[in-house]
Amino acid sequence: MTLLLLSALAVAEPPAVLPGLEAETAAEAAVSAPPSGLDERVEELLRQMTLEEKLGQLQQLDGEAGGDYRPEHLELARQGRLGSTLNVRGAKRVNELQKAALESRLRIPILFGYDVIHGFKTIFPIPLGEAASFDPAAAERSAAIAAAEASAAGVRWTFAPMVDIARDPRWGRVAEGAGEDPYLGSVMAWARVKGFQGEDLTAQDKVLACAKHWAAYGAAEAGRDYNTTDLSEHTLRSVVFPPFRAALEAGALTFMSAFNDLNGVPATANPFLMTQVLRQEWGFEGFVVSDYTAVQELVAHGLASDGAEAARRALGAGTDMEMVSRLYNQHGARLVQEGRLPLAVIDEAVRRVLRVKFRAGLFERPYAELGRESPVLRSDHLKAARLIAARSMVLLRNEGGVLPLDKRIRTLAVIGPLADDKRSMLGTWPADGRAEDAVSVLEGLRGKTFPEAKVLYAKGCALAGEGAEGLDEAVRVAQQADAAVVVVGEDADMSGEAASRAALDLPGRQLDLVRAVLGTGTPTVVVLMNGRPLTIPWIAENVPAVLEAWHPGVQAGHAVADVLFGDVNPGGKLPITFPRSVGQIPIYYAHKSTGRPPDAKNKYTSKYLDSPVTPLYPFGHGLSYTSFELSDLALSAKTLPPDGKLTASVQVENTGNRPGDEVVQLYIQDADASVTRPVRELRGFERVTLKPGEKRKVEFPLTPEHLGFYGRDSRFIVEPGLFRVFAAASSVGGLEASFEVVPK
Ligand code: NOJ
């Protein structure tokens, strides 16, 4: 078979695989184009800067936990030696520190950064949950609200989105990303960058986005945070890079380097990542900030024997700004004097930082507007948080019509350690979100039932630990009720950074609690709140109704109540595979076939002796209170040239008796390629809302960007051969068609 290089794609990298990306990119180019005269202004400043001032622009320092700055920050700012801060926030404080910077010799403003991950004060679902909505418009909206609130507090830069693909749920930070799939991850990365930055980076209600963690942080060995990664260039380009590329195409002007070692070179000092791919291949014009003390950590990695060498390696590789550790400033001048680091490298890093500051409008509008910070949460923001949380929930199981619950219910039991735990609803990285603003599930359900209904509550057990004291009371409460809702899972600190887990069961006695409640015979619903997939085979087998709610944010309880009582028909889908056991990890839908695909009748095929190979719940799975049927999968062509396009269309019908949402998913398989391809790859999805009996034809373009892959030489190609197309309601099953790419 001939390898075919598309002339249009004869660069090492195609546009990210996103529908309509090329058109959008052109529009975007106009939006985020640098202002005229930018380079002259940057050069003019650079000419006047001392080496000390230059190094100062490359330094980011941490504020106090509550958002205050320290006296040292004021001093450095006055000397023009503080480029950026993280965690300093609050319009008044930001302005005080900014004033000091503007009193410095060259009056270069400080860039104020903060981790606004899924909301600033109005907290939305964790990003993994939001990805489960399969609704990029929702992700864009929540990011826009977060930007509006954060910018009111003087924040000009968020360290989000985290676009790391994660296929190991032991890694706690799966909570912060969009899950296992590069296509879904790219769509969500794009949407979130657009939401944070909008069309005008200088607007007062926008913040700069930062794509992190560049790169491969999500592939930590054994799911242990900060751990080593080792991936082929093929996997990097096919799986890890696409969401970063999408973030860049959406206009992200900053990237954050990852903590991890990648193929023997820690990301923070990795020229392949920072220089070759990001700058030379992709033409990135922004700057890279290190992760927290990651430059210093090059010593622990063993890549540098001391701080000076660490600084030299990180700067030399293209990490422009140093977060928290101060090695650039401590050693930069000496490295230049000794001829170990060309001054040109520092100049270039400073240029990049200044360019972004200009493009963000920081010189024109350095101060935060006073009076825009709202002491209370805005009702329209809360409304969005409630809707997006409900759209993020995934109905994993619903046997025997337990759900939706009837609002005329007389007695409802609400049970579980998370049923009334407001802090945990907010999840990891809640920014300035406050537990007291959150609505617990207990409160949400109380608000939804008729006034004459009795809502009983029992905690049942602690979230973790062996204590069984509450189980009896939970049983008593369940016995009195017409239905029981048991809210179990992980608390906010069990996922996120430095929150890897070796077991993914429900912690403590929570499974015993579920068993005990179910044992009463009362119809039981389990609501899961967690930052990652959990291994819950017993629940999946025995509990009639299971709702995955993730950590849903400030409106958690209302959103759960909306779904449980059917005011919102659940339509979310899993953005990550749920394994049966930890032993199956890594498990993801887009795996390769192997030469010996599992075959129950043949021992010598790829499987386990002690477990099925299939997941507990596959990627893309999610039920509804209504039913849908897909039909009439049609392709607009049976053959096409490698640079051709076709359209796949499929009919979706609501065959049940309630309005509802289905996420129609389109997968491809390149069955005949010079590099083995996954058994399926998502290449399109659409969340549609249909009334009972309503039908809709959904169309998906399939362009070279969707059909190509990285060949043996790491170039993007579309090869002639057979392609299968699947239209489905999850990554399993569905309708199948095929076409052939033929040589021109
Ligand atoms: C470390 C985390 O890895 C990163 O994601 C975060 O932005 C920084 N700390 C700053 O808080």
Side-chain angles (χ1 to χ4, degrees):
M1 183 178 36
T2 23
L3 287 189
L4 217 122
L5 247 175
L6 276 180
S7 56
L9 298 173
V11 287
E13 182 66 33
V17 181
L18 278 175
L21 183 71
E22 281 170 289
E24 283 274 17
T25 306
E28 181 54 28
V31 171
S32 63
S36 66
L38 171 68
D39 287 338
E40 292 71 22
R41 291 177 79 181
V42 168
E43 293 309 319
E44 176 61 27
L45 269 179
L46 200 62
R47 260 195 302 279
Q48 300 175 59
M49 291 169 86
T50 63
L51 182 53
E52 220 179 27
E53 286 166 337
K54 288 176 183 173
L55 292 167
Q57 283 304 308
L58 308 184
Q59 181 69 61
Q60 181 182 70
L61 291 179
D62 198 355
E64 300 291 332
D68 217 342
Y69 54 82
R70 292 195 298 273
E72 184 205 8
H73 296 148
L74 272 181
E75 193 44 44
L76 286 170
R78 281 195 195 102
Q79 295 168 18
R81 290 174 56 208
L82 182 57
S84 176
T85 61
L86 74 154
N87 293 329
V88 175
R89 61 199 185 280
K92 188 168 163 287
R93 290 188 288 220
V94 159
N95 287 351
E96 285 163 7
L97 188 53
Q98 193 68 296
K99 183 162 172 285
L102 296 179
E103 285 164 7
S104 67
R105 197 173 74 87
L106 294 173
R107 299 192 293 276
I108 301 175
I110 293 168
L111 181 56
F112 293 93
Y114 189 46
D115 288 285
V116 183
I117 306 299
H118 52 113
F120 180 70
K121 282 189 170 153
T122 305
I123 302 304
F124 291 86
I126 52 168
L128 186 65
E130 205 171 69
S133 73
F134 277 68
D135 182 357
E140 185 171 342
R141 173 101 179 100
S142 76
I145 290 173
E149 293 183 357
S151 59
V155 173
R156 297 293 281 265
W157 179 24
T158 175
F159 305 123
M162 187 192 97
V163 302
D164 298 313
I165 296 301
R167 292 177 165 181
D168 189 332
R170 291 173 294 183
W171 189 54
R173 299 194 82 169
V174 297
E176 281 178 69
E180 72 181 44
D181 184 59
Y183 180 85
L184 177 62
S186 297
V187 172
M188 287 296 164
W190 171 280
R192 300 193 71 215
V193 171
K194 288 287 185 195
F196 287 131
Q197 298 196 159
E199 298 301 320
D200 176 8
L201 266 179
T202 67
Q204 66 162 14
D205 59 347
K206 294 297 171 196
V207 295
L208 287 164
C210 179
K212 70 185 189 185
H213 305 82
W214 181 244
Y217 184 42
E221 279 182 2
R224 182 158 54 79
D225 207 359
Y226 318 120
N227 203 7
T228 307
T229 66
D230 204 315
L231 292 98
S232 68
E233 184 174 339
H234 179 74
T235 300
L236 286 173
R237 290 188 185 273
S238 315
V239 179
V240 173
F241 289 173
F244 286 96
R245 176 67 192 230
L248 184 150
E249 297 286 353
L253 285 176
T254 73
F255 272 44
M256 185 185 292
S257 77
F259 283 125
N260 50 284
D261 181 8
L262 173 62
N263 298 340
V265 184
T268 300
N270 192 312
F272 168 71
L273 292 176
M274 307 291 172
T275 300
Q276 183 183 322
V277 176
L278 192 54
R279 266 86 185 214
Q280 291 169 0
E281 294 181 18
W282 294 0
F284 176 64
E285 291 177 348
F287 72 84
V288 177
V289 62
S290 80
D291 203 341
Y292 207 99
T293 64
V295 177
Q296 172 73 54
E297 290 168 27
L298 295 175
V299 177
H301 274 293
L303 195 81
S305 54
D306 60 17
E309 184 59 8
R312 190 185 74 80
R313 284 195 181 265
L315 258 171
T319 299
D320 306 300
M321 184 182 278
E322 183 177 5
M323 187 189 286
V324 176
S325 54
R326 305 181 187 212
L327 304 183
Y328 290 4
N329 273 266
Q330 284 163 0
H331 305 288
R334 189 162 55 84
L335 286 169
V336 172
Q337 277 152 21
E338 289 173 1
R340 289 168 66 195
L341 185 74
L343 180 61
V345 171
I346 293 176
D347 282 351
E348 188 53 28
V350 175
R351 260 187 210 108
R352 291 169 181 155
V353 170
L354 292 179
R355 285 175 67 91
V356 171
K357 288 187 173 183
F358 275 115
R359 290 177 73 169
L362 211 52
F363 284 84
E364 279 69 32
R365 194 175 53 77
Y367 291 114
E369 300 75 13
L370 294 175
R372 210 157 59 80
E373 275 173 296
S374 168
V376 289
L377 300 182
R378 276 174 50 170
S379 61
D380 55 332
H381 293 183
L382 288 173
K383 211 169 139 203
R386 179 171 180 166
L387 188 72
I388 294 171
R391 285 176 80 76
S392 298
M393 292 178 190
V394 183
L395 184 62
L396 295 175
R397 188 168 202 251
N398 192 20
E399 297 288 317
V402 177
L403 287 177
L405 297 173
D406 189 336
K407 281 186 197 158
R408 289 162 308 183
I409 192 165
R410 279 168 309 158
T411 308
L412 178 67
V414 183
I415 296 170
L418 289 170
D420 201 23
D421 173 351
K422 296 182 177 216
R423 167 65 190 93
S424 289
M425 319 265 139
L426 301 182
T428 182
W429 292 112
D432 284 15
R434 301 181 318 175
E436 61 259 41
D437 290 330
V439 180
S440 74
V441 176
L442 179 61
E443 289 170 342
L445 291 172
R446 278 204 170 121
K448 187 68 87 176
T449 43
F450 286 168
E452 51 276 15
K454 270 205 287 184
V455 178
L456 309 174
Y457 166 69
K459 186 172 175 189
C461 65
L463 194 94
E466 286 311 305
E469 305 80 49
L471 292 183
D472 291 346
E473 195 206 342
V475 166
R476 263 196 307 280
V477 162
Q479 279 165 339
Q480 298 168 49
D482 302 306
V485 173
V486 191
V487 191
V488 289
E490 298 179 310
D491 70 21
D493 298 328
M494 283 180 183
S495 58
E497 188 177 350
S500 296
R501 293 182 61 200
L504 298 179
D505 307 331
L506 285 176
R509 304 297 296 268
Q510 294 186 81
L511 184 56
D512 292 335
L513 175 66
V514 174
R515 286 184 208 259
V517 172
L518 196 70
T520 63
T522 301
T524 298
V525 179
V526 161
V527 174
L528 295 168
M529 289 196 172
N530 39 276
R532 54 152 67 80
L534 298 175
T535 49
I536 46 161
W538 191 89
I539 288 178
E541 178 98 333
N542 295 287
V543 178
V546 185
L547 180 73
E548 176 54 79
W550 316 104
H551 288 140
V554 69
Q555 290 281 286
H558 286 321
V560 167
D562 288 343
V563 171
L564 293 187
F565 282 98
D567 289 341
V568 172
N569 192 347
K573 300 278 185 170
L574 293 179
I576 187 164
T577 304
F578 272 45
R580 294 170 192 274
S581 67
V582 168
Q584 288 186 313
I585 297 170
I587 180 169
Y588 48 92
Y589 84 91
H591 61 82
K592 303 288 183 76
S593 158
T594 82
R596 294 182 174 197
D599 174 356
K601 289 185 251 71
N602 184 349
K603 176 172 178 2
Y604 295 97
T605 58
S606 182
K607 50 190 168 39
Y608 298 108
L609 290 176
D610 53 356
S611 162
V613 277
T614 53
L616 189 61
Y617 294 113
F619 175 89
H621 168 75
L623 306 173
S624 165
Y625 298 149
T626 186
S627 53
F628 295 95
E629 207 175 287
L630 296 178
S631 62
D632 304 327
L633 173 60
L635 304 177
S636 63
K638 273 312 235 179
T639 60
L640 79 162
D643 57 355
K645 299 176 179 182
L646 61 77
T647 303
S649 63
V650 65
Q651 180 115 283
V652 51
E653 179 178 356
N654 182 341
T655 52
N657 50 19
R658 287 174 170 263
D661 287 9
E662 178 61 298
V663 179
V664 183
Q665 301 162 43
L666 193 91
Y667 297 87
I668 63 160
Q669 182 198 17
D670 183 344
D672 179 14
S674 60
V675 171
T676 56
R677 308 300 307 137
V679 292
R680 279 189 186 201
E681 295 177 272
L682 186 67
R683 283 297 176 262
F685 63 82
E686 192 171 332
R687 182 167 176 157
V688 293
T689 305
L690 297 176
K691 297 195 202 73
E694 193 182 346
K695 292 181 189 166
R696 179 139 357 129
K697 187 170 157 186
V698 184
E699 296 195 336
F700 299 99
L702 286 174
T703 68
E705 288 76 35
H706 297 92
L707 301 178
F709 64 92
Y710 291 89
R712 295 182 193 184
D713 59 359
S714 289
R715 283 172 169 254
F716 193 77
I717 49 174
V718 178
E719 279 181 0
L722 175 71
F723 281 79
R724 296 195 180 94
V725 176
F726 307 90
S730 85
S731 57
V732 174
L735 306 171
E736 188 179 329
S738 65
F739 66 93
E740 209 167 319
V741 171
V742 292
K744 253 191 171 166

